[in-house]
Amino acid sequence: MEERKKVLYSAVQPTNDLTIGNYIGAIQNWVKLQNDYDCYFAVANMHAITVRQNPAELRRRTADMAALLIACGINPENSVLYVQSHVPAHAELCWTLNTFTYVGEMERMTQFKDKSKKHADNINMGLMDYPVLMAADILLYQADYVPVGLDQRQHVEIARDIAQRFNNVYSPTFKMPEALFLKVGAKICDLLDPTKKMSKSAENPNGSVFLNDDRDTIIRKFKRAVTDSGSEVRYDPENKAGVSNLLSIYSVFSGKSIEKAEADFAGKGYGEFKLAVGEVVADKLAPLQAEWQRLLADKAYLDGVLKSGAERAERTANRTLAKVYKKVGFYSLKD
Ligand code: TRP
């Protein structure tokens, strides 16, 4: 008999446009993992509303994100791709898990503290409950692995604590998930401040290259990228952060090694180099952007994918939820 694949769960909030850093650091890894694991990928729109959103924009970004994931190579026939709010079990399990989570531990969460400062006028219960909803996401699918960035480490740890607590009070119910911190091919930094990671919510959008930037915008951003004094195109992250970042980007997008990239630009100036990096990124993104637009124009197809994704997700999620409801003592009706 074929061995059952391990389950992998991850989600992304539809709150900001994604950058080439997100593409290289997260999405490309999801795409690579999808053959080896039973994958669930969600667009976490319920997490998104913990910070006030414009409704029309949230709706648009949700479809955008789903289409983008498909355009990047997530295969919805294989992986389960769905929108979080389409599967009621997330909210339902979250409620139950709330009763296994202490207020004190939520108050101490790093992201809650950061976001409370940033959104001091709207420190709502949902913001505080964010980690419990995330625990519900993960635990509903009995996930073995959760690929996330380091900033989400604490959230996966809390999910484990909550799972353990529930299992101890009743009997083994939830699989203990493990965070998977993937080795990223290259860390992609801000073009204007190469000591910082490229961010989808950076103050100056000219430092980030977004997956929906058109060719001219991409080339303009690279032309304006910060380099260093000197004129040699050489990989030296300590002394030449800007040039090194551009070399990394060039290497990732062209598939050439850093050494080969250095050789390509030996004796050439920064201007020519920056233009070449912009071009290679724009060229690589062009087919992805075309596919993305094609999917967004085909609402019937996209909705079909998301509907079937939600149905498949629900089947797994409801199985876990039924166990939980039984264990906590919720009265059930005879069909
Ligand atoms: N909090 C995650 C982020 O902002 C998104 C997320 C929501 C998530 N639910 C999840 C990630 C479950 C992994 C598993 O990146």
Side-chain angles (χ1 to χ4, degrees):
M1 212 178 75
E2 205 188 322
E3 214 182 307
R4 261 199 90 112
K5 287 181 181 170
K6 298 265 189 198
V7 177
L8 186 136
Y9 188 95
S10 202
V12 58
Q13 293 193 67
T15 42
N16 282 296
D17 291 329
L18 295 186
T19 70
I20 55 171
N22 301 122
Y23 175 61
I24 300 301
I27 301 179
Q28 265 200 342
N29 284 316
W30 291 6
V31 172
K32 282 187 210 136
L33 291 163
Q34 66 181 340
N35 294 323
D36 298 330
Y37 297 91
D38 242 335
C39 292
Y40 292 85
F41 298 117
V43 181
N45 58 344
M46 293 166 69
H47 279 100
I49 62 165
T50 56
V51 171
R52 200 65 68 224
Q53 302 291 328
N54 171 308
E57 204 153 280
L58 178 61
R59 215 175 338 262
R60 178 184 64 77
R61 284 187 194 279
T62 301
D64 261 18
M65 187 63 79
L68 177 64
L69 294 176
I70 301 170
C72 288
I74 297 294
N75 173 1
E77 307 269 312
N78 189 358
S79 300
V80 177
L81 174 67
Y82 71 101
V83 175
Q84 190 183 27
S85 66
H86 292 166
V87 180
H90 290 256
E92 295 171 306
L93 182 61
C94 178
W95 177 255
T96 304
L97 296 183
N98 276 333
T99 66
F100 292 85
T101 310
Y102 299 106
V103 171
E105 61 188 349
M106 291 299 100
E107 279 171 340
R108 287 193 296 275
M109 297 296 285
T110 311
Q111 194 172 75
F112 173 67
K113 289 194 283 189
D114 289 349
K115 288 197 179 171
S116 298
K117 265 191 221 133
K118 217 167 140 193
H119 306 279
D121 55 340
N122 184 20
I123 307 176
N124 62 75
M125 285 302 294
L127 192 64
M128 195 173 179
D129 209 25
Y130 185 112
V132 185
L133 180 59
M134 186 160 154
D137 295 346
I138 297 167
L139 300 177
L140 274 175
Y141 299 91
Q142 306 287 352
D144 295 280
Y145 297 109
V146 185
V148 280
L150 278 172
D151 63 320
Q152 297 296 314
R153 163 179 262 159
Q154 209 182 22
H155 286 154
V156 179
E157 266 161 27
I158 271 290
R160 290 169 60 91
D161 291 347
I162 296 172
Q164 184 86 62
R165 225 171 265 163
F166 190 97
N167 288 350
N168 286 345
V169 172
Y170 304 101
S171 54
T173 310
F174 298 119
K175 176 79 83 39
M176 290 299 275
E178 248 175 72
L180 202 59
F181 304 110
L182 297 159
K183 270 230 160 34
V184 182
K187 182 174 157 206
I188 299 209
C189 295
D190 192 280
L191 299 186
L192 299 177
D193 180 357
T195 60
K196 275 204 254 149
K197 203 175 126 186
M198 186 180 284
S199 160
K200 49 184 182 166
S201 50
E203 247 163 66
N204 187 342
N206 288 321
S208 303
V209 178
F210 296 95
L211 294 178
N212 53 357
D213 279 346
D214 61 27
R215 186 179 187 85
D216 288 349
T217 308
I218 294 172
I219 289 179
R220 177 174 49 77
K221 286 180 175 175
F222 278 102
K223 273 190 185 158
R224 290 192 192 159
V226 170
T227 40
D228 322 84
S229 56
S231 59
E232 212 186 338
V233 179
R234 181 166 50 83
Y235 190 76
D236 177 359
E238 296 231 326
N239 302 306
K240 294 167 88 78
V243 168
S244 302
N245 183 39
L246 294 174
L247 272 171
S248 298
I249 296 174
Y250 182 83
S251 156
V252 169
F253 278 85
S254 66
K256 295 179 184 176
S257 66
I258 297 274
E259 295 74 32
K260 177 75 179 64
E262 284 177 330
D264 281 0
F265 298 105
K268 296 192 178 148
Y270 285 163
E272 197 174 333
F273 169 53
K274 291 199 277 187
L275 179 63
V277 183
E279 280 177 341
V280 88
V281 172
D283 286 348
K284 182 82 192 285
L285 292 185
L288 188 155
Q289 293 175 331
E291 178 64 1
W292 189 6
Q293 289 316 315
R294 194 187 68 75
L295 290 164
L296 284 174
D298 191 350
K299 185 168 159 58
Y301 170 77
L302 189 62
D303 284 2
V305 163
L306 294 177
K307 182 155 188 274
S308 112
E311 283 164 5
R312 287 163 70 198
E314 194 149 37
R315 242 173 284 146
T316 310
N318 285 350
R319 226 173 317 167
T320 302
L321 188 69
K323 281 189 202 155
V324 168
Y325 276 14
K326 191 163 171 208
K327 296 204 184 187
V328 299
F330 284 171
Y331 181 80
S332 69
L333 300 168
K334 239 203 166 57
D335 304 319

